[in-house]
């Protein structure tokens, strides 16, 4: 008995010390210890000699001995596998193409806004920005829209606080007011930014949207300068064949005021559903800066004149990419956004 126990112990040590660096050596282990004529089988055969009252206990010992041998064999094989993996000697095909990393895309409004800004930069306009929460003075009063002026109803305002009035700016003309406050003419700026109006959300209206407004104040600035500036913009944005036309309009901060249409980008002017069969689509409001507004900033309106214009980025984007529902811009639907991969 004693002898048998000692023999088991020695074999265990031998197995534990056994090393295999290739498949043949692992196989040699299997044959030597686990084969039909192997050491483990041999020792199991000794069971016969064990007295009956010790057979149960001894049987368990032999079983765990056999398991030990099997586990050791598995460990040797696994060791070979992981060594193989480390050395790269597997059947992995390194020439397969890798997984592409998905790259985000710019939002269509950012693309168009950037393009608008770069066109006006070519004409020497600088970018000016201001706060989205405004006071009454910068959004209305300074722009020749005093309290109770009926034109205030043109823009449904979100008021945050009444008296003193704080509101969400309804146009980026508020930035023009902030610049004229600090800077003397010549002033040549564009004001891109988000604006808010209390409108019911639908395909054609939203409670927020984006504008690019422009202001040029200097000596001898004329309506002809305004027209040429906007014509340049339209041709850069929509191509050389695009035409423009002006219609008289009204804004409190400009006199005279106009709205500008461009020839329909879908039908080229022959008439379609986008232009409601007129051949023209409206894109902006503009005019010569009202003398009253210049005086509000202590600018001599006999010496200086200026023009201003304002347009919606969503509208330009709609004409450029044929987007017919304003809600798409803010729904974050990846199927919509993904279409602008590679644009600009
Ligand atoms: N601020 C006007 C609007 O938001 C647009 C505009 C700007 C019109 C400048 C004329 C001159 O509707």
């Amino acid at each position: 008995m004693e002898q048998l126990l000692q023999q088991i112990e020695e074999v265990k040590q031998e197995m534990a010390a056994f090393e295999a660096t290739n498949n043949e050596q692992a196989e040699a282990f299997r044959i030597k210890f686990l084969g039909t004529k192997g050491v483990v089988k041999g020792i199991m055969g000794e069971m016969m000699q064990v007295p009956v009252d010790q057979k149960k206990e001894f049987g368990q010992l032999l079983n765990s001995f056999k398991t030990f041998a099997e586990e050791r064999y598995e460990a040797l094989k696994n060791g070979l596998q992981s060594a193989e993996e480390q050395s790269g000697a597997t059947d992995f095909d390194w020439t397969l193409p890798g997984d592409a990393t998905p790259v985000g895309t710019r939002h269509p409004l950012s693309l168009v806004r950037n393009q608008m800004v770069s066109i006006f930069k070519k004409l020497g306009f600088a970018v000016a920005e201001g706060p989205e929460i405004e006071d009454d003075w910068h959004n209305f009063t300074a722009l020749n829209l005093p309290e109770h002026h009926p034109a205030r109803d043109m823009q449904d305002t979100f008021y945050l606080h009444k008296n003193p009035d704080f509101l969400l700016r309804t146009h980026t003309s508020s930035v023009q007011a902030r610049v004229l406050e600090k800077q003397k003419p010549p002033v040549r700026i564009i004001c891109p930014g988000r604006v808010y109006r209390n409108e019911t959300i639908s395909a054609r209206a939203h409670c927020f949207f984006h504008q690019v407004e422009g202001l040029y104040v200097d000596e001898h600035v004329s309506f002809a300068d305004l027209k040429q500036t906007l014509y340049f913009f339209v041709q850069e944005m929509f191509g050389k064949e695009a035409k423009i036309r002006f219609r008289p309009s009204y804004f409190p901060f400009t006199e005279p005021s106009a709205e500008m249409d461009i020839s329909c980008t879908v039908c080229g002017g022959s008439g379609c559903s986008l232009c409601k069969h007129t051949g023209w689509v409206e894109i902006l409001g503009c005019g010569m800066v009202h003398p009253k507004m210049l005086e509000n900033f202590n600018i001599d309106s006999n010496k200086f004149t200026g023009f201003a214009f304002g347009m919606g980025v969503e509208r330009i984007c709609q004409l450029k990419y044929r987007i017919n529902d304003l809600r798409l811009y803010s729904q974050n639907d990846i199927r919509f956004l993904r279409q602008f991969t590679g644009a600009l």
Side-chain angles (χ1 to χ4, degrees):
M1 269 302 293
E2 280 298 308
Q3 212 187 334
L4 203 54
L5 285 174
Q6 200 186 335
Q7 197 189 346
I8 287 175
E9 214 36 58
E10 279 169 14
V11 173
K12 269 179 139 178
Q13 276 171 23
E14 194 186 338
M15 289 194 291
F18 198 102
E19 280 186 48
T21 50
N22 56 37
N23 284 329
E24 285 79 50
Q25 287 169 347
E27 182 60 7
F29 178 97
R30 194 189 64 76
I31 295 169
K32 179 170 181 188
F33 295 102
L34 293 167
T36 31
K37 292 185 180 135
V39 179
V40 175
K41 268 267 157 65
I43 292 179
M44 301 283 259
E46 302 290 321
M47 190 71 171
M48 320 261 276
Q49 298 173 23
V50 178
V52 182
D53 60 339
Q54 288 176 26
K55 269 201 193 313
K56 188 174 172 207
E57 187 191 341
F58 207 75
Q60 284 170 354
L61 188 79
L62 281 179
N63 270 339
S64 76
F65 170 61
K66 192 179 169 207
T67 312
F68 179 89
E70 285 165 352
E71 281 175 1
R72 183 71 196 127
Y73 173 59
E74 285 303 317
L76 286 175
K77 275 202 308 189
N78 289 342
L80 286 176
Q81 264 171 21
S82 67
E84 244 177 31
E85 277 160 18
Q86 272 170 27
S87 70
T90 64
D91 57 1
F92 183 78
D93 183 354
W94 294 99
T95 64
L96 287 171
D99 289 337
T101 313
V103 186
T105 57
R106 284 210 193 284
H107 193 281
L109 291 176
S110 300
L111 292 171
V112 169
R113 194 243 350 258
N114 291 349
Q115 200 187 351
M116 292 167 82
V117 167
S118 72
I119 294 171
F120 285 110
K121 274 190 175 168
K122 285 191 202 171
L123 295 173
F125 284 81
V127 172
E129 286 180 332
E132 293 185 9
I133 296 177
E134 264 300 359
D135 49 36
D136 180 278
W137 168 256
H138 292 97
N139 196 77
F140 289 129
T141 309
L143 307 171
N144 199 29
L145 268 149
E147 214 186 333
H148 307 307
H149 192 293
R152 284 194 180 205
D153 296 342
M154 282 163 72
Q155 304 182 347
D156 307 284
T157 312
F158 281 117
Y159 282 94
L160 302 175
H161 189 263
K162 269 278 183 196
N163 207 6
D165 284 353
F166 287 110
L167 45 90
L168 294 178
R169 67 181 179 194
T170 59
H171 50 186
T172 57
S173 305
S174 56
V175 183
Q176 305 181 8
R178 286 186 176 272
V179 171
L180 287 181
E181 217 163 47
K182 287 195 230 90
Q183 194 183 326
K184 292 289 147 228
V187 169
R188 195 172 351 177
I189 51 160
I190 46 165
C191 315
R194 180 175 286 187
V195 302
Y196 301 83
R197 291 183 197 180
N198 192 356
E199 304 242 14
T200 308
I201 296 172
S202 71
R204 317 184 99 250
H206 211 292
C207 59
F208 66 80
F209 58 99
H210 301 80
Q211 286 188 324
V212 171
E213 293 214 354
L215 173 73
Y216 179 28
V217 181
D218 202 350
E219 291 180 50
H220 315 298
V221 176
S222 71
F223 202 100
D225 298 321
L226 169 64
K227 182 179 162 190
Q228 206 54 37
T229 301
L230 293 176
Y231 191 41
F232 177 79
F233 166 75
V234 167
Q235 295 216 317
E236 290 280 300
M237 196 74 197
F238 296 106
K240 290 286 170 222
E241 56 301 328
K243 296 196 238 345
I244 58 169
R245 79 173 182 189
F246 288 86
R247 283 176 291 104
S249 184
Y250 172 76
F251 297 101
F253 28 85
T254 46
E255 181 61 37
S257 301
E259 276 168 321
M260 193 182 86
D261 301 339
I262 62 167
S263 48
C264 180
T265 52
V266 171
C267 63
S270 55
C272 68
S273 61
L274 179 84
C275 60
K276 301 198 189 80
H277 303 282
T278 62
W280 297 94
V281 285
E282 183 200 322
I283 64 162
L284 58 81
C286 61
M288 300 306 292
V289 179
H290 200 293
K292 193 88 187 289
M293 176 165 157
L294 294 176
E295 300 297 339
N296 279 344
F297 297 100
N298 298 320
I299 296 167
D300 182 354
S301 61
N302 291 317
K303 188 168 172 209
F304 293 103
T305 51
F307 68 68
F309 58 86
M311 59 187 129
V313 181
E314 277 81 351
R315 179 78 169 144
I316 304 296
C317 202
Q318 176 196 23
L319 296 175
K320 210 168 160 64
Y321 294 118
R322 319 258 161 96
I323 297 162
N324 55 12
D325 189 329
L326 273 176
R327 291 168 293 196
L328 284 166
Y329 292 121
S330 49
Q331 275 166 343
N332 273 345
D333 187 331
I334 200 82
R335 292 168 303 180
F336 170 71
L337 297 173
R338 222 183 247 146
Q339 295 178 55
F340 301 90
T341 317
L344 295 175

